[in-house]
Each structure stands twice: as structure tokens, then as C-alpha cells.
Amino acid sequence: MTGKTNLPAGRQVAVSGIKASGVLHIGNYIGAIEQFVRLQSKYKMFVFIADLHAITVPQDPNELRENTLNVAALYIACGLDLKKTILFVQSHVPAHVELGWILNTLTPLGELERMTQFKDKSQDKGVLAGLLNYPTLMAADILLYRPDIVPVGEDQVQHVELTRTLARKFNSRFGSTFKEPKELLRKEGARIMAIDNPTKKMSKSAGSNNYIALTDEPDIIRKKIKTAVTDSGSEIKYDVNNKPGISNLLSIYSAFSGESIASLEKKYAGKNYGTFKSDLAELLVQKLSPIQEKYKSLLKNKKSLMKILDAGAKSANKVAEKTMAVVHQKIGLI
Ligand code: ATP
Ligand code: MG
């Protein structure tokens, strides 16, 4: 693995990233990574590890370093192909921060204050300015590579909308510079819910009981699925309003098996939650085991991972610097 890409010119571009803010979970896999793996054959993909976004909440430096490499290893273990995808660490491409700052100077405060994630967390004690400003950095992450699409989970749609707004604003003020990218969500599973509370999104930062980590051992997966919150009644039926727990488990089952939800409902007609849950646990164990094996083996050679990330940053910097040269010229930086 050299990190060298071998891409035909003229492909459409896709960009996305995941925060190095903890252990990746099946929601990240279904909503984001699985899309990257599917899209990389068709699009020129830029995938990064968002270490600068991770520090919008305090991170232990050693943990951040470790998480960054873990995310890199997981991406590859899940199937990112370094011949097709440019994989890099966000902070290795300084243009993200520079363009983020420039976009901040075009963003009305109110646009940032109305972001759902900010509203959700802004009442917490000790909220930092980075939490308010992070959507402009995210807009920069995207716009630098002039992508056509941004594959993400549903929670990020609002931020991609803001990205389009900022692209428009920049273009109308300084002349056509940025493409307006579209978010790409999968039809089912764009918002996987927490297994201990199916009314909340599964999140890295919400504690290990709310997620199934991609690195959870088989017995942990079995235990977590067994105790996952389900609904009253016994029917295995997709009904988000009345049966949010079982509907979420059906989405997970469908995403990992490729079977449609309708066919799963038929398959489990007349069967109880216990049988369904135990099959789901075995499915997850079976699908995650090869990823975990590859992940462990990649982490044995951290030097080689760093080499991959260095090569990725080199390729990403080339593209980002070109964009920044245009931006400098347009806004009058000499
Ligand atoms: P944090 O709690 O630190 O914000 P997170 O679990 O929300 O972590 P992010 O790094 O913020 O993960 O998001 C990475 C990608 O995974 C984004 O594209 C996001 O939309 C997607 N994603 C996150 N959670 C889910 C989920 N529960 N279902 C589907 N996609 C998700
Ligand atoms: Mg998140």
C-alpha cells in the first residue's frame, strides 16, 4: 500500500470525513463508510480523519493521536482502497483552516447559531467557540476539493446546506469559484438510532452503551443486541413512530445483510424479538469479524499507516493549494 492513486481524469468528486472523537460505530459505518467504499469506484474520493473537528470538545492528546490512527486503520479495514481514494488527516492540509477562517468572515452569526448541533449542545457548561464555528470549517473541508457530492449521514445535511449557502455567497461576491455540492444519503439507514434509546442518534460521544462499535468483541455485540431497547408488543414490523426500537434494529439488519426491510418483515413474521435479535447479533459478528482482523493487523504497523497518511496528505495538499491560489487572488490577498 503506497497511497498512490491511480484515477482516470475527469471523474466526479466526492468528499467526506469522520471525527477522531472516539470509537467508530455501526452508525458511522452504515451512514458514511459503507457509502465511501461503494462510491470510490465511480468517484474521485477524498476521505479524511477530522482531528480538528474532534478538538471542538476537549480531547486527551494521546487519545487523539491514537484515535486518529485507529480511524485510518478502520477506514482501510472497511474497504477503502488507497488506489482509488485519497485518505488523509485533516490537520495535515493547512488549507482547511485557512479557508475555514475566510468563510467565517462571510458567515452571519445567526446562520451558525441556528445549527441543530449547536443548539443541542450550546446549553452545556463551558461550551467553546469552536462548537459554534465548526460548520464553517466543515464547509471549507468540502469546498476545497470542489466536490459534486458529499456522502454523509442525515445529521450532517444541515451542514452541507450551509456549505452550499457559503459557496453561493462567495461566488456572488467574488465571482464563480466553488461548486455547490449535494449531500448523498443512503435510502435506509442514514440515521441509525442509539440502541439504548431509539429516539436519539447513535453517537460516538454518547457513551459505549448507545452504540455497537465496529471493534466490539463478539460477546459484547451479543450482549448489547440482547439488551437493546425494543418496544411493547412482539411483532417484527417497521414502524418508526410506534416501534422505534425494532425499526432501528431492522434498519441495521437490512444494511448489513442487503435484504430489504419488507423481506425481513416477512422472514420474521410470527417470530419473537429474541429470535430476531439473536440472528441480528450473529449477522453483525459475522460481518464485523473480518474488518476487526484486518484492523488489528493494520495497527501492528503504525509506521506504514503514517506513510499512507503522508502520501494522502501530499495528494490532498496539491488540490487544496490550487483552490487556495484562486481564493487568494479573488479576495485580494497578495
Ligand atoms: P460525535 O458524537 O463525536 O459527533 P458521531 O458518531 O456523530 O460522533 P461523526 O464523526 O460526527 O460521528 O460523523 C461521521 C459520519 O458518520 C457523518 O457522515 C455522520 O453523518 C455519520 N453518522 C454519525 N452518526 C450516524 C448515525 N447514527 N447514523 C448514520 N450516520 C451517522
Ligand atoms: Mg457527529
Side-chain angles (χ1 to χ4, degrees), residues 41-330:
S41 308
K42 195 165 159 221
Y43 288 83
K44 177 168 180 169
M45 286 282 307
F46 292 84
V47 173
F48 60 92
I49 301 141
D51 52 351
L52 295 171
H53 284 296
I55 58 172
T56 49
V57 294
Q59 302 287 337
D60 173 84
N62 286 328
E63 268 177 35
L64 179 61
R65 268 187 283 272
E66 205 178 309
N67 283 336
T68 302
L69 279 184
N70 289 351
V71 177
L74 258 179
Y75 273 141
I76 301 168
C78 288
L80 277 195
D81 177 347
L82 302 162
K83 290 201 175 69
K84 295 178 179 155
T85 292
I86 295 170
L87 174 63
F88 62 100
V89 178
Q90 183 188 27
S91 65
H92 294 180
V93 182
H96 288 241
V97 177
E98 189 186 358
L99 183 59
W101 170 253
I102 291 168
L103 295 176
N104 259 323
T105 67
L106 296 173
T107 311
L109 199 50
E111 291 267 5
L112 298 176
E113 283 168 343
R114 69 179 183 81
M115 293 287 127
T116 311
Q117 278 196 11
F118 178 72
K119 282 199 285 193
D120 283 355
K121 293 187 184 163
S122 60
Q123 303 310 321
D124 296 358
K125 241 176 143 187
V127 163
L128 304 168
L131 185 72
L132 177 74
N133 286 326
Y134 113 81
T136 48
L137 179 58
M138 179 165 158
D141 298 335
I142 296 169
L143 294 178
L144 271 179
Y145 303 96
R146 305 183 204 224
D148 301 278
I149 56 156
V150 185
V152 281
E154 195 197 68
D155 60 298
Q156 293 301 325
V157 171
Q158 203 183 26
H159 295 147
V160 184
E161 276 165 9
L162 176 71
T163 303
R164 282 196 292 274
T165 304
L166 293 179
R168 264 198 304 279
K169 200 166 264 201
F170 190 102
N171 291 345
S172 76
R173 182 137 170 225
F174 301 109
S176 174
T177 307
F178 293 117
K179 264 189 187 169
E180 286 182 39
K182 284 199 178 70
E183 62 277 4
L184 187 75
L185 304 188
R186 47 184 299 151
K187 275 201 198 96
E188 305 278 356
R191 187 180 185 82
I192 298 297
M193 308 310 277
I195 48 169
D196 63 348
N197 180 356
T199 63
K200 286 213 158 130
K201 183 183 88 69
M202 184 180 284
S203 289
K204 274 182 246 128
S205 56
S208 67
N209 287 334
N210 103 99
Y211 58 64
I212 294 190
L214 293 176
T215 48
D216 274 342
E217 296 288 335
D219 281 345
I220 303 280
I221 295 177
R222 291 185 183 108
K223 194 168 149 217
K224 283 184 176 175
I225 291 289
K226 200 171 182 181
T227 53
V229 169
T230 39
D231 323 282
S232 54
S234 60
E235 214 185 345
I236 317 280
K237 196 169 166 19
Y238 190 85
D239 177 351
V240 176
N241 292 329
N242 299 310
K243 285 178 154 279
I246 212 73
S247 300
N248 189 41
L249 297 182
L250 274 166
S251 291
I252 296 171
Y253 198 134
S254 167
F256 274 93
S257 68
E259 288 172 73
S260 70
I261 289 182
S263 100
L264 290 173
E265 283 175 339
K266 263 191 209 147
K267 185 166 156 184
Y268 287 98
K271 302 209 168 117
N272 59 23
Y273 287 170
T275 309
F276 172 72
K277 280 179 153 186
S278 131
D279 287 358
L280 173 57
E282 293 317 311
L283 172 71
L284 290 175
V285 168
Q286 183 214 330
K287 295 284 178 182
L288 295 181
S289 293
I291 293 176
Q292 294 175 355
E293 252 172 60
K294 188 148 189 226
Y295 170 73
K296 280 183 200 152
S297 110
L298 284 161
L299 279 177
K300 280 192 192 134
N301 195 344
K302 294 200 169 136
K303 263 197 192 144
S304 138
L305 273 177
M306 278 309 293
K307 259 195 186 160
I308 290 169
L309 295 173
D310 285 347
K314 222 171 158 190
S315 305
N317 267 306
K318 260 193 211 154
V319 179
E321 281 164 14
K322 261 195 199 158
T323 305
M324 287 316 290
V326 176
V327 169
H328 284 189
Q329 196 270 331
K330 295 250 175 169

